[in-house]
Amino acid sequence: LLFGELVRLETELWSAVETRLRSGHGIVLPTFEFLQVISRQPRCRVHDIATELSITVGGTSKIVDRMEAAGLCARRANPGDRRSSIISLTPVGRRMLAEATVTVDDELRLRLGQLPPRSLAQLTRTLTRLRAAARSAGEAEQTA
């Protein structure tokens, strides 16, 4: 029951938020998530995005390529590691993130607003802990 409810909630939220982002801003949800990660990391690399979002480095690199082509981000050489690049938001990317954040927050308020702020904060902390525990279990399984 729990698994089904979590999966269906994620699917319904994803669909609703993505629909709003596509119609209002011409972007998809992964682009929004990438914009968020890049904005939080001053020396953001493809590996950092992949790790935070639990996706492959190859897939991450392809999305960053598309975002760069759209003018949302830019890569520059990483002075500390010539094998990687530092990714930063362009002014267009920062503006897109600010506008899209308003849209996402509005949709989440519409769908989750019946929960008090304190409950939402607790849910966020719980989900963060559960994801960390799941990652640890997966890493332990791989080394066994």
Side-chain angles (χ1 to χ4, degrees), residues 60-78:
T60 302
S61 186
K62 288 177 184 174
I63 293 174
V64 170
D65 289 344
R66 287 194 293 268
M67 290 175 62
E68 188 173 26
L72 298 172
C73 67
R75 295 184 200 212
R76 69 185 192 308
N78 182 347

Side-chain angles (χ1 to χ4, degrees), residues 9-86:
L9 177 62
E10 186 272 341
T11 301
E12 292 164 4
L13 286 173
W14 183 289
S15 180
V17 170
E18 176 136 316
T19 297
R20 294 272 309 268
L21 287 172
R22 280 181 187 270
S23 66
H25 308 284
I27 63 171
V28 292
L29 188 51
T31 300
F32 175 73
E33 290 188 295
F34 275 49
L35 291 168
Q36 287 184 310
V37 173
I38 296 166
S39 75
R40 288 191 300 262
Q41 302 232 10
R43 299 181 53 79
C44 187
R45 300 167 303 145
V46 166
H47 182 269
D48 300 321
I49 299 168
T51 298
E52 185 164 334
L53 298 179
S54 300
I55 57 178
T56 66
V57 170
T60 302
S61 186
K62 288 177 184 174
I63 293 174
V64 170
D65 289 344
R66 287 194 293 268
M67 290 175 62
E68 188 173 26
L72 298 172
C73 67
R75 295 184 200 212
R76 69 185 192 308
N78 182 347
D81 180 0
R82 290 188 296 158
R83 296 171 296 165
S84 68
S85 300
I86 303 295

